[in-house]
Amino acid sequence: AQKITQTQPGMFVQEKEAVTLDCTYDTSDPSYGLFWYKQPSSGEMIFLIYQGSYDQQNATEGRYSLNFQKARKSANLVISASQLGDSAMYFCAMREGYNFNKFYFGSGTKLNVKP
Amino acid sequence: EPEVTQTPSHQVTQMGQEVILRCVPISNHLYFYWYRQILGQKVEFLVSFYNNEISEKSEIFDDQFSVERPDGSNFTLKIRSTKLEDSAMYFCASKGQYEQYFGPGTRLTVT
């Protein structure tokens, strides 16, 4: 079974609108971390946001928030007030167990922001 | 702001040749990783490294691969005899408090 599933290969959003990128995960470990990374066309991987499995509140970082629904095993990324510079690939990732363990990545969602 | 750096940004090599990809992790980080991303695919874990030893490796990381921290700053990935299927973007990462910080990647093209 896939550890991380991203079901939206591509998404369009109008500039200044909010968009939600879906991510579901699969683990039996009670301790895990969930991450979102942005990959622009230039190729680098930019860390956006982190959510720990024991965190009670949803993580937020500026225009990014993580909608963490533990029972559903989902960790959707919400980008508010989309900007043209948000156009990129977005990857959801998970780390199980110790916080130095490897990351599992999803297949990514290509977000296009329209002017 | 400290960042992970990688050299070269692009390496072209012939099949069967050895390549060394170089990384300088963030200076106070202790855990280091190599991942690869074949064009259009997901990022895959190769190996993790701590205290001058491999902590974990994936099934991709076979005998053709090795890692080394030759000094206090560099972290290298060596592929002994490259194959066409080794063509990919290779990312080095180092661990912060929770997240991993990725370098800009080395695009390896094997011809």
Side-chain angles (χ1 to χ4, degrees), chain B:
Chain B
E1 186 174 317
E3 58 184 16
V4 178
T5 59
Q6 289 186 243
T7 53
S9 57
H10 192 189
Q11 173 97 43
V12 181
T13 189
Q14 288 193 324
M15 198 166 53
Q17 295 295 304
E18 174 183 288
V19 294
I20 297 175
L21 311 183
R22 292 183 166 80
C23 168
V24 179
I26 294 172
S27 63
N28 62 342
H29 288 182
L30 300 177
Y31 292 89
F32 315 120
Y33 310 81
W34 284 100
Y35 293 83
R36 79 171 186 192
Q37 184 183 30
I38 294 171
L39 189 63
Q41 297 187 22
K42 67 172 74 173
V43 177
E44 302 172 287
F45 168 76
L46 291 177
V47 66
S48 57
F49 193 84
Y50 170 73
N51 199 25
N52 284 322
E53 287 185 348
I54 290 175
S55 305
E56 185 177 1
K57 57 185 180 180
S58 72
E59 59 192 24
I60 302 168
F61 194 89
D62 61 21
D63 292 345
Q64 293 299 310
F65 290 88
S66 62
V67 288
E68 195 178 35
R69 189 154 161 83
D71 53 43
S73 60
N74 290 286
F75 178 50
T76 62
L77 174 70
K78 183 194 293 187
I79 310 174
R80 266 181 265 287
S81 177
T82 50
K83 308 185 197 64
L84 294 176
E85 53 265 37
D86 293 328
S87 293
M89 181 77 99
Y90 288 81
F91 290 105
C92 171
S94 66
K95 190 188 88 62
Q97 185 178 12
Y98 302 109
E99 67 278 27
Q100 291 179 16
Y101 292 97
F102 283 71
T106 293
R107 182 163 298 286
L108 177 65
T109 303
V110 183
T111 61

Side-chain angles (χ1 to χ4, degrees), chain A residues 2 4 35 37 39 42-47 50 91 95 99-108, chain B residues 31 33 35 37 40-45 48 56 89 91 95 97-105:
Chain A
Q2 297 285 333
I4 294 285
F35 306 81
Y37 285 81
Q39 187 177 45
S42 49
E44 71 268 33
M45 296 283 285
I46 302 167
F47 166 69
Y50 160 75
F91 290 96
R95 179 263 308 143
N99 70 4
F100 51 77
N101 285 348
K102 64 180 180 281
F103 282 10
Y104 297 94
F105 282 85
S107 53
Chain B
Y31 292 89
Y33 310 81
Y35 293 83
Q37 184 183 30
Q41 297 187 22
K42 67 172 74 173
V43 177
E44 302 172 287
F45 168 76
S48 57
E56 185 177 1
M89 181 77 99
F91 290 105
K95 190 188 88 62
Q97 185 178 12
Y98 302 109
E99 67 278 27
Q100 291 179 16
Y101 292 97
F102 283 71

Side-chain angles (χ1 to χ4, degrees), chain A residues 32-62:
Chain A
Y32 53 89
L34 297 158
F35 306 81
W36 279 91
Y37 285 81
K38 173 183 179 182
Q39 187 177 45
S41 55
S42 49
E44 71 268 33
M45 296 283 285
I46 302 167
F47 166 69
L48 295 178
I49 196 165
Y50 160 75
Q51 179 85 42
S53 58
Y54 296 117
D55 294 342
Q56 295 294 315
Q57 296 196 324
N58 288 342
T60 59
E61 286 288 346

Side-chain angles (χ1 to χ4, degrees), chain A:
Chain A
Q2 297 285 333
K3 290 283 187 183
I4 294 285
T5 302
Q6 294 181 255
T7 57
Q8 306 154 312
M11 290 275 287
F12 283 92
V13 65
Q14 203 69 40
E15 195 179 5
K16 298 180 186 172
E17 291 187 350
V19 62
T20 297
L21 306 184
D22 294 343
C23 172
T24 57
Y25 59 92
D26 182 29
T27 182
S28 56
D29 196 317
S31 176
Y32 53 89
L34 297 158
F35 306 81
W36 279 91
Y37 285 81
K38 173 183 179 182
Q39 187 177 45
S41 55
S42 49
E44 71 268 33
M45 296 283 285
I46 302 167
F47 166 69
L48 295 178
I49 196 165
Y50 160 75
Q51 179 85 42
S53 58
Y54 296 117
D55 294 342
Q56 295 294 315
Q57 296 196 324
N58 288 342
T60 59
E61 286 288 346
R63 293 187 299 110
Y64 304 109
S65 60
L66 199 152
N67 184 0
F68 181 43
Q69 297 189 47
K70 201 168 182 176
R72 293 186 177 185
K73 292 191 173 179
S74 75
N76 298 339
L77 177 70
V78 180
I79 305 174
S80 63
S82 299
Q83 301 172 354
L84 295 178
D86 294 335
S87 293
M89 280 290 283
Y90 288 82
F91 290 96
C92 180
M94 177 179 69
R95 179 263 308 143
E96 297 176 307
Y98 294 112
N99 70 4
F100 51 77
N101 285 348
K102 64 180 180 281
F103 282 10
Y104 297 94
F105 282 85
S107 53
T109 295
K110 180 82 166 71
L111 177 67
N112 284 293
V113 180
K114 297 185 292 184

